[in-house]
Amino acid sequence: MKFLQPFMIVSMLVAFGNCAELFSSKDKDNNEELILAILAGTRCPSTAVTTPTTGTRYDFANCTGDANLALSGSGFQANNVTLSGGLVGTSNNSTILTNASSLSSSGGNKKASIEIVYQLNSASSTISALLPATTSFGGPGFLIQPTKADKIADGSSSAFGTAGAPWASSVGQEKTICLEVHEEGAGAHIFGWEGACANVDRINYQFEQEDVVVSLAGDRVALRINGATIKTLTIYNQSIGTAGSFR
């Protein structure tokens, strides 16, 4: 029987190794389940909206707990933001980005539509809303300032061709803005309205510019929150603007 002893020892070592691997695998699975459970219970409230079209509203004013966990559980990547009566950012390094595509109904071209309820905390505060954005925050969008919005094209901002009338300062005041971008030819039609999307004149845009030369390589919604608080963000599944939508 002595000649069997080496084989028995090897078999026992293999068995112990398999057990160790099994327990390690179980520990990993348990950790992943714990993380998923934390995320499932830590998120920002969201509701379905149907006016003026379908979408999802994220209520950042009623998020609780850790900002990164709450946003991750709600489908966003976050950096350098906190929760205090909304989503608070302190500089252009304070960002959120959707984890998945956030395009509205395109009809063959990319379109993206959002509503933001926000407050700027000082005269130098800004919000950059990029849509549709790449994961590296490239693409078209809007630079929201106290009394107006400018267009953004691949990182540079400038006034709209049709700028619209300035509004009352949003420093220290809750403000709502409705924003949309349509892919058109080699560029984009970038436009929006002051006020809630449910109340806007969908045919007439308050600030806009057509044929903006810009890359539309992305499909996300991204915000840079510089000295501002985001109360809610609504991402629509269908486009809002109708003028020129069949070009």
Side-chain angles (χ1 to χ4, degrees):
M1 295 293 291
K2 288 184 178 180
F3 74 91
L4 293 176
Q5 288 179 353
F7 297 101
M8 294 173 65
I9 293 171
V10 170
S11 299
M12 291 173 66
L13 290 174
V14 170
F16 281 122
N18 288 339
C19 287
E21 183 179 347
L22 176 62
F23 285 119
S24 175
S25 177
K26 285 184 176 180
D27 288 342
K28 181 181 178 181
D29 290 342
N30 288 339
N31 289 337
E32 290 177 350
E33 288 175 2
L34 177 60
I35 292 171
L36 290 173
I38 292 172
L39 292 180
T42 309
R43 61 180 62 194
C44 300
S46 63
T47 54
V49 297
T50 57
T51 305
T53 185
T54 59
T56 302
R57 176 164 295 139
Y58 299 92
D59 182 2
F60 297 136
N62 287 297
C63 294
T64 57
D66 178 80
N68 289 330
L69 279 177
L71 286 162
S72 180
S74 302
F76 296 87
Q77 300 173 36
N79 182 62
N80 193 33
V81 294
T82 57
L83 293 172
S84 180
L87 192 60
V88 180
T90 56
S91 72
N92 280 324
N93 292 322
S94 300
T95 62
I96 63 170
L97 173 74
T98 58
N99 287 333
S101 174
S102 302
L103 296 177
S104 53
S105 178
S106 61
N109 291 326
K110 287 185 177 181
K111 297 180 183 179
S113 317
I114 64 172
E115 177 188 282
I116 307 173
V117 178
Y118 66 92
Q119 178 178 305
L120 300 181
N121 299 326
S122 74
S124 60
S125 298
T126 58
I127 298 168
S128 297
L130 302 172
L131 57 151
T134 65
T135 55
S136 57
F137 290 78
F142 304 80
L143 179 65
I144 302 168
Q145 301 158 79
T147 61
K148 66 171 185 172
D150 286 343
K151 69 179 183 296
I152 296 175
D154 294 333
S156 298
S157 64
S158 58
F160 281 99
T162 301
W167 52 73
S169 174
S170 52
V171 174
Q173 303 294 320
E174 186 174 290
K175 183 77 177 173
T176 305
I177 195 168
C178 182
L179 309 171
E180 187 154 309
V181 175
H182 291 189
E183 180 182 21
E184 288 186 355
H189 185 188
I190 305 176
F191 58 90
W193 304 262
E194 176 193 4
C197 293
N199 301 328
V200 302
D201 181 346
R202 299 174 69 179
I203 298 176
N204 297 305
Y205 313 136
Q206 289 182 270
F207 45 91
E208 68 166 324
Q209 188 154 342
E210 294 193 79
D211 302 320
V212 179
V213 178
V214 63
S215 170
L216 286 94
D219 62 353
R220 313 295 179 90
V221 167
L223 300 181
R224 293 187 182 277
I225 309 165
N226 173 28
T229 303
I230 306 296
K231 302 296 185 70
T232 69
L233 171 65
T234 306
I235 300 176
Y236 291 96
N237 303 325
Q238 303 288 324
S239 57
I240 296 167
T242 57
S245 60
F246 299 103
R247 288 183 53 187

mmCIF file of all heavy atoms in Angstrom, residues 23-58:
data_model
loop_
_atom_site.group_PDB
_atom_site.id
_atom_site.type_symbol
_atom_site.label_atom_id
_atom_site.label_comp_id
_atom_site.label_asym_id
_atom_site.label_seq_id
_atom_site.Cartn_x
_atom_site.Cartn_y
_atom_site.Cartn_z
ATOM 1 N N PHE A 23 -14.453 28.317 -2.001
ATOM 2 C CA PHE A 23 -14.777 29.301 -0.982
ATOM 3 C C PHE A 23 -14.431 30.711 -1.455
ATOM 4 O O PHE A 23 -15.142 31.671 -1.197
ATOM 5 C CB PHE A 23 -14.054 28.983 0.335
ATOM 6 C CG PHE A 23 -14.681 27.832 1.077
ATOM 7 C CD1 PHE A 23 -13.948 26.682 1.341
ATOM 8 C CD2 PHE A 23 -16.006 27.894 1.495
ATOM 9 C CE1 PHE A 23 -14.533 25.623 2.010
ATOM 10 C CE2 PHE A 23 -16.586 26.841 2.181
ATOM 11 C CZ PHE A 23 -15.844 25.688 2.436
ATOM 12 N N SER A 24 -13.284 30.848 -2.175
ATOM 13 C CA SER A 24 -12.898 32.143 -2.707
ATOM 14 C C SER A 24 -13.945 32.648 -3.684
ATOM 15 O O SER A 24 -14.324 33.819 -3.678
ATOM 16 C CB SER A 24 -11.535 32.038 -3.404
ATOM 17 O OG SER A 24 -11.202 33.247 -4.020
ATOM 18 N N SER A 25 -14.428 31.744 -4.543
ATOM 19 C CA SER A 25 -15.463 32.104 -5.511
ATOM 20 C C SER A 25 -16.739 32.524 -4.806
ATOM 21 O O SER A 25 -17.392 33.494 -5.188
ATOM 22 C CB SER A 25 -15.740 30.920 -6.445
ATOM 23 O OG SER A 25 -16.784 31.216 -7.334
ATOM 24 N N LYS A 26 -17.098 31.794 -3.728
ATOM 25 C CA LYS A 26 -18.297 32.149 -2.980
ATOM 26 C C LYS A 26 -18.149 33.504 -2.322
ATOM 27 O O LYS A 26 -19.089 34.308 -2.299
ATOM 28 C CB LYS A 26 -18.589 31.076 -1.927
ATOM 29 C CG LYS A 26 -19.171 29.791 -2.517
ATOM 30 C CD LYS A 26 -19.530 28.809 -1.428
ATOM 31 C CE LYS A 26 -20.198 27.553 -2.018
ATOM 32 N NZ LYS A 26 -20.545 26.585 -0.975
ATOM 33 N N ASP A 27 -16.939 33.804 -1.773
ATOM 34 C CA ASP A 27 -16.715 35.108 -1.159
ATOM 35 C C ASP A 27 -16.881 36.223 -2.188
ATOM 36 O O ASP A 27 -17.477 37.264 -1.917
ATOM 37 C CB ASP A 27 -15.305 35.183 -0.556
ATOM 38 C CG ASP A 27 -15.187 34.334 0.709
ATOM 39 O OD1 ASP A 27 -16.237 33.987 1.274
ATOM 40 O OD2 ASP A 27 -14.055 34.021 1.098
ATOM 41 N N LYS A 28 -16.334 35.993 -3.399
ATOM 42 C CA LYS A 28 -16.451 36.987 -4.462
ATOM 43 C C LYS A 28 -17.904 37.206 -4.842
ATOM 44 O O LYS A 28 -18.360 38.348 -4.978
ATOM 45 C CB LYS A 28 -15.644 36.531 -5.680
ATOM 46 C CG LYS A 28 -15.690 37.518 -6.841
ATOM 47 C CD LYS A 28 -14.881 36.991 -8.022
ATOM 48 C CE LYS A 28 -14.970 37.954 -9.204
ATOM 49 N NZ LYS A 28 -14.213 37.440 -10.374
ATOM 50 N N ASP A 29 -18.639 36.095 -4.980
ATOM 51 C CA ASP A 29 -20.059 36.209 -5.317
ATOM 52 C C ASP A 29 -20.827 36.954 -4.240
ATOM 53 O O ASP A 29 -21.692 37.787 -4.527
ATOM 54 C CB ASP A 29 -20.674 34.823 -5.529
ATOM 55 C CG ASP A 29 -20.161 34.154 -6.795
ATOM 56 O OD1 ASP A 29 -19.614 34.877 -7.659
ATOM 57 O OD2 ASP A 29 -20.304 32.920 -6.908
ATOM 58 N N ASN A 30 -20.498 36.665 -2.973
ATOM 59 C CA ASN A 30 -21.183 37.326 -1.864
ATOM 60 C C ASN A 30 -20.898 38.828 -1.865
ATOM 61 O O ASN A 30 -21.789 39.642 -1.600
ATOM 62 C CB ASN A 30 -20.752 36.716 -0.529
ATOM 63 C CG ASN A 30 -21.322 35.318 -0.339
ATOM 64 O OD1 ASN A 30 -22.308 34.948 -0.973
ATOM 65 N ND2 ASN A 30 -20.700 34.534 0.526
ATOM 66 N N ASN A 31 -19.631 39.198 -2.144
ATOM 67 C CA ASN A 31 -19.273 40.605 -2.188
ATOM 68 C C ASN A 31 -20.020 41.325 -3.310
ATOM 69 O O ASN A 31 -20.499 42.446 -3.138
ATOM 70 C CB ASN A 31 -17.758 40.768 -2.392
ATOM 71 C CG ASN A 31 -16.968 40.377 -1.158
ATOM 72 O OD1 ASN A 31 -17.502 40.392 -0.046
ATOM 73 N ND2 ASN A 31 -15.705 40.030 -1.331
ATOM 74 N N GLU A 32 -20.097 40.676 -4.471
ATOM 75 C CA GLU A 32 -20.807 41.285 -5.593
ATOM 76 C C GLU A 32 -22.292 41.439 -5.283
ATOM 77 O O GLU A 32 -22.900 42.463 -5.612
ATOM 78 C CB GLU A 32 -20.612 40.448 -6.862
ATOM 79 C CG GLU A 32 -19.187 40.522 -7.410
ATOM 80 C CD GLU A 32 -18.999 39.629 -8.622
ATOM 81 O OE1 GLU A 32 -19.901 38.825 -8.918
ATOM 82 O OE2 GLU A 32 -17.937 39.746 -9.267
ATOM 83 N N GLU A 33 -22.877 40.418 -4.625
ATOM 84 C CA GLU A 33 -24.282 40.503 -4.251
ATOM 85 C C GLU A 33 -24.516 41.622 -3.239
ATOM 86 O O GLU A 33 -25.527 42.323 -3.295
ATOM 87 C CB GLU A 33 -24.750 39.164 -3.682
ATOM 88 C CG GLU A 33 -24.886 38.066 -4.747
ATOM 89 C CD GLU A 33 -25.242 36.726 -4.147
ATOM 90 O OE1 GLU A 33 -25.428 36.663 -2.912
ATOM 91 O OE2 GLU A 33 -25.331 35.734 -4.896
ATOM 92 N N LEU A 34 -23.542 41.806 -2.310
ATOM 93 C CA LEU A 34 -23.664 42.869 -1.314
ATOM 94 C C LEU A 34 -23.628 44.228 -1.994
ATOM 95 O O LEU A 34 -24.429 45.122 -1.679
ATOM 96 C CB LEU A 34 -22.524 42.760 -0.293
ATOM 97 C CG LEU A 34 -22.478 43.854 0.790
ATOM 98 C CD1 LEU A 34 -23.764 43.840 1.605
ATOM 99 C CD2 LEU A 34 -21.265 43.652 1.690
ATOM 100 N N ILE A 35 -22.705 44.389 -2.953
ATOM 101 C CA ILE A 35 -22.605 45.654 -3.682
ATOM 102 C C ILE A 35 -23.893 45.942 -4.439
ATOM 103 O O ILE A 35 -24.420 47.051 -4.416
ATOM 104 C CB ILE A 35 -21.397 45.628 -4.641
ATOM 105 C CG1 ILE A 35 -20.091 45.615 -3.834
ATOM 106 C CG2 ILE A 35 -21.428 46.827 -5.587
ATOM 107 C CD1 ILE A 35 -18.858 45.366 -4.673
ATOM 108 N N LEU A 36 -24.420 44.906 -5.111
ATOM 109 C CA LEU A 36 -25.670 45.073 -5.857
ATOM 110 C C LEU A 36 -26.823 45.431 -4.928
ATOM 111 O O LEU A 36 -27.679 46.255 -5.273
ATOM 112 C CB LEU A 36 -25.997 43.800 -6.640
ATOM 113 C CG LEU A 36 -25.079 43.498 -7.836
ATOM 114 C CD1 LEU A 36 -25.404 42.124 -8.404
ATOM 115 C CD2 LEU A 36 -25.225 44.565 -8.914
ATOM 116 N N ALA A 37 -26.821 44.807 -3.749
ATOM 117 C CA ALA A 37 -27.886 45.103 -2.785
ATOM 118 C C ALA A 37 -27.802 46.540 -2.296
ATOM 119 O O ALA A 37 -28.822 47.222 -2.149
ATOM 120 C CB ALA A 37 -27.797 44.132 -1.599
ATOM 121 N N ILE A 38 -26.567 47.012 -2.066
ATOM 122 C CA ILE A 38 -26.378 48.395 -1.625
ATOM 123 C C ILE A 38 -26.874 49.353 -2.698
ATOM 124 O O ILE A 38 -27.594 50.308 -2.431
ATOM 125 C CB ILE A 38 -24.899 48.666 -1.286
ATOM 126 C CG1 ILE A 38 -24.495 47.882 -0.023
ATOM 127 C CG2 ILE A 38 -24.657 50.160 -1.090
ATOM 128 C CD1 ILE A 38 -23.009 47.933 0.271
ATOM 129 N N LEU A 39 -26.473 49.069 -3.943
ATOM 130 C CA LEU A 39 -26.875 49.937 -5.043
ATOM 131 C C LEU A 39 -28.381 49.923 -5.246
ATOM 132 O O LEU A 39 -28.993 50.948 -5.532
ATOM 133 C CB LEU A 39 -26.173 49.513 -6.340
ATOM 134 C CG LEU A 39 -24.660 49.724 -6.390
ATOM 135 C CD1 LEU A 39 -24.123 49.250 -7.734
ATOM 136 C CD2 LEU A 39 -24.299 51.186 -6.169
ATOM 137 N N ALA A 40 -28.978 48.763 -5.093
ATOM 138 C CA ALA A 40 -30.428 48.658 -5.297
ATOM 139 C C ALA A 40 -31.187 49.492 -4.275
ATOM 140 O O ALA A 40 -32.248 50.039 -4.566
ATOM 141 C CB ALA A 40 -30.859 47.198 -5.221
ATOM 142 N N GLY A 41 -30.636 49.618 -3.064
ATOM 143 C CA GLY A 41 -31.313 50.375 -2.020
ATOM 144 C C GLY A 41 -30.855 51.806 -1.919
ATOM 145 O O GLY A 41 -31.378 52.565 -1.113
ATOM 146 N N THR A 42 -29.868 52.218 -2.721
ATOM 147 C CA THR A 42 -29.324 53.565 -2.671
ATOM 148 C C THR A 42 -29.420 54.181 -4.052
ATOM 149 O O THR A 42 -28.574 53.944 -4.902
ATOM 150 C CB THR A 42 -27.853 53.553 -2.207
ATOM 151 O OG1 THR A 42 -27.741 52.801 -1.012
ATOM 152 C CG2 THR A 42 -27.338 54.952 -1.990
ATOM 153 N N ARG A 43 -30.453 54.946 -4.274
ATOM 154 C CA ARG A 43 -30.626 55.587 -5.564
ATOM 155 C C ARG A 43 -31.481 56.831 -5.400
ATOM 156 O O ARG A 43 -32.097 57.048 -4.361
ATOM 157 C CB ARG A 43 -31.265 54.632 -6.567
ATOM 158 C CG ARG A 43 -32.643 54.129 -6.179
ATOM 159 C CD ARG A 43 -33.180 53.181 -7.242
ATOM 160 N NE ARG A 43 -32.337 52.010 -7.374
ATOM 161 C CZ ARG A 43 -32.405 51.146 -8.385
ATOM 162 N NH1 ARG A 43 -33.268 51.350 -9.356
ATOM 163 N NH2 ARG A 43 -31.633 50.083 -8.432
ATOM 164 N N CYS A 44 -31.502 57.645 -6.440
ATOM 165 C CA CYS A 44 -32.321 58.840 -6.417
ATOM 166 C C CYS A 44 -33.719 58.503 -6.924
ATOM 167 O O CYS A 44 -33.850 57.727 -7.873
ATOM 168 C CB CYS A 44 -31.692 59.916 -7.305
ATOM 169 S SG CYS A 44 -30.024 60.382 -6.775
ATOM 170 N N PRO A 45 -34.763 59.085 -6.325
ATOM 171 C CA PRO A 45 -36.111 58.800 -6.797
ATOM 172 C C PRO A 45 -36.264 59.190 -8.269
ATOM 173 O O PRO A 45 -35.720 60.195 -8.715
ATOM 174 C CB PRO A 45 -36.989 59.694 -5.907
ATOM 175 C CG PRO A 45 -36.156 59.992 -4.717
ATOM 176 C CD PRO A 45 -34.743 60.015 -5.183
ATOM 177 N N SER A 46 -36.978 58.379 -9.015
ATOM 178 C CA SER A 46 -37.250 58.690 -10.419
ATOM 179 C C SER A 46 -38.715 58.388 -10.723
ATOM 180 O O SER A 46 -39.311 57.500 -10.117
ATOM 181 C CB SER A 46 -36.338 57.889 -11.352
ATOM 182 O OG SER A 46 -36.576 56.507 -11.233
ATOM 183 N N THR A 47 -39.280 59.159 -11.648
ATOM 184 C CA THR A 47 -40.661 58.960 -12.038
ATOM 185 C C THR A 47 -40.782 59.056 -13.556
ATOM 186 O O THR A 47 -40.009 59.760 -14.208
ATOM 187 C CB THR A 47 -41.586 60.026 -11.413
ATOM 188 O OG1 THR A 47 -41.088 61.332 -11.749
ATOM 189 C CG2 THR A 47 -41.636 59.883 -9.902
ATOM 190 N N ALA A 48 -41.748 58.341 -14.102
ATOM 191 C CA ALA A 48 -42.032 58.427 -15.531
ATOM 192 C C ALA A 48 -42.827 59.695 -15.798
ATOM 193 O O ALA A 48 -43.698 60.072 -15.009
ATOM 194 C CB ALA A 48 -42.808 57.203 -15.993
ATOM 195 N N VAL A 49 -42.504 60.366 -16.904
ATOM 196 C CA VAL A 49 -43.266 61.539 -17.327
ATOM 197 C C VAL A 49 -43.861 61.262 -18.705
ATOM 198 O O VAL A 49 -43.325 60.462 -19.478
ATOM 199 C CB VAL A 49 -42.399 62.806 -17.355
ATOM 200 C CG1 VAL A 49 -41.894 63.140 -15.964
ATOM 201 C CG2 VAL A 49 -41.226 62.652 -18.321
ATOM 202 N N THR A 50 -44.944 61.928 -19.021
ATOM 203 C CA THR A 50 -45.607 61.725 -20.315
ATOM 204 C C THR A 50 -45.864 63.031 -21.052
ATOM 205 O O THR A 50 -46.363 63.016 -22.173
ATOM 206 C CB THR A 50 -46.942 60.989 -20.131
ATOM 207 O OG1 THR A 50 -47.764 61.742 -19.229
ATOM 208 C CG2 THR A 50 -46.727 59.590 -19.556
ATOM 209 N N THR A 51 -45.540 64.182 -20.420
ATOM 210 C CA THR A 51 -45.815 65.482 -21.017
ATOM 211 C C THR A 51 -44.535 66.305 -21.094
ATOM 212 O O THR A 51 -43.831 66.405 -20.085
ATOM 213 C CB THR A 51 -46.853 66.253 -20.186
ATOM 214 O OG1 THR A 51 -48.028 65.452 -20.042
ATOM 215 C CG2 THR A 51 -47.224 67.562 -20.833
ATOM 216 N N PRO A 52 -44.196 66.887 -22.232
ATOM 217 C CA PRO A 52 -44.919 66.851 -23.505
ATOM 218 C C PRO A 52 -44.712 65.551 -24.277
ATOM 219 O O PRO A 52 -45.353 65.327 -25.302
ATOM 220 C CB PRO A 52 -44.296 68.013 -24.278
ATOM 221 C CG PRO A 52 -42.888 68.056 -23.791
ATOM 222 C CD PRO A 52 -42.978 67.704 -22.329
ATOM 223 N N THR A 53 -43.824 64.702 -23.766
ATOM 224 C CA THR A 53 -43.608 63.389 -24.344
ATOM 225 C C THR A 53 -43.062 62.479 -23.254
ATOM 226 O O THR A 53 -42.932 62.896 -22.103
ATOM 227 C CB THR A 53 -42.659 63.480 -25.558
ATOM 228 O OG1 THR A 53 -42.550 62.210 -26.185
ATOM 229 C CG2 THR A 53 -41.270 63.943 -25.140
ATOM 230 N N THR A 54 -42.770 61.233 -23.560
ATOM 231 C CA THR A 54 -42.379 60.281 -22.524
ATOM 232 C C THR A 54 -40.915 60.444 -22.128
ATOM 233 O O THR A 54 -40.067 60.829 -22.936
ATOM 234 C CB THR A 54 -42.606 58.840 -22.993
ATOM 235 O OG1 THR A 54 -41.831 58.606 -24.180
ATOM 236 C CG2 THR A 54 -44.072 58.593 -23.283
ATOM 237 N N GLY A 55 -40.632 60.137 -20.874
ATOM 238 C CA GLY A 55 -39.262 60.218 -20.386
ATOM 239 C C GLY A 55 -39.198 59.831 -18.920
ATOM 240 O O GLY A 55 -40.166 59.332 -18.341
ATOM 241 N N THR A 56 -38.036 60.080 -18.304
ATOM 242 C CA THR A 56 -37.810 59.763 -16.890
ATOM 243 C C THR A 56 -37.243 60.984 -16.193
ATOM 244 O O THR A 56 -36.279 61.598 -16.677
ATOM 245 C CB THR A 56 -36.830 58.595 -16.735
ATOM 246 O OG1 THR A 56 -37.339 57.457 -17.431
ATOM 247 C CG2 THR A 56 -36.631 58.245 -15.267
ATOM 248 N N ARG A 57 -37.839 61.343 -15.049
ATOM 249 C CA ARG A 57 -37.357 62.471 -14.244
ATOM 250 C C ARG A 57 -36.617 61.937 -13.022
ATOM 251 O O ARG A 57 -37.146 61.113 -12.259
ATOM 252 C CB ARG A 57 -38.520 63.360 -13.818
ATOM 253 C CG ARG A 57 -38.113 64.501 -12.888
ATOM 254 C CD ARG A 57 -39.211 65.558 -12.828
ATOM 255 N NE ARG A 57 -39.365 66.182 -14.140
ATOM 256 C CZ ARG A 57 -40.551 66.490 -14.673
ATOM 257 N NH1 ARG A 57 -41.666 66.203 -14.014
ATOM 258 N NH2 ARG A 57 -40.614 67.063 -15.859
ATOM 259 N N TYR A 58 -35.383 62.410 -12.836
ATOM 260 C CA TYR A 58 -34.551 62.028 -11.699
ATOM 261 C C TYR A 58 -34.580 63.167 -10.674
ATOM 262 O O TYR A 58 -34.228 64.311 -10.985
ATOM 263 C CB TYR A 58 -33.120 61.750 -12.149
ATOM 264 C CG TYR A 58 -33.046 60.602 -13.139
ATOM 265 C CD1 TYR A 58 -33.103 60.848 -14.517
ATOM 266 C CD2 TYR A 58 -32.956 59.288 -12.711
ATOM 267 C CE1 TYR A 58 -33.060 59.806 -15.423
ATOM 268 C CE2 TYR A 58 -32.913 58.239 -13.617
ATOM 269 C CZ TYR A 58 -32.965 58.505 -14.972
ATOM 270 O OH TYR A 58 -32.931 57.471 -15.875
#
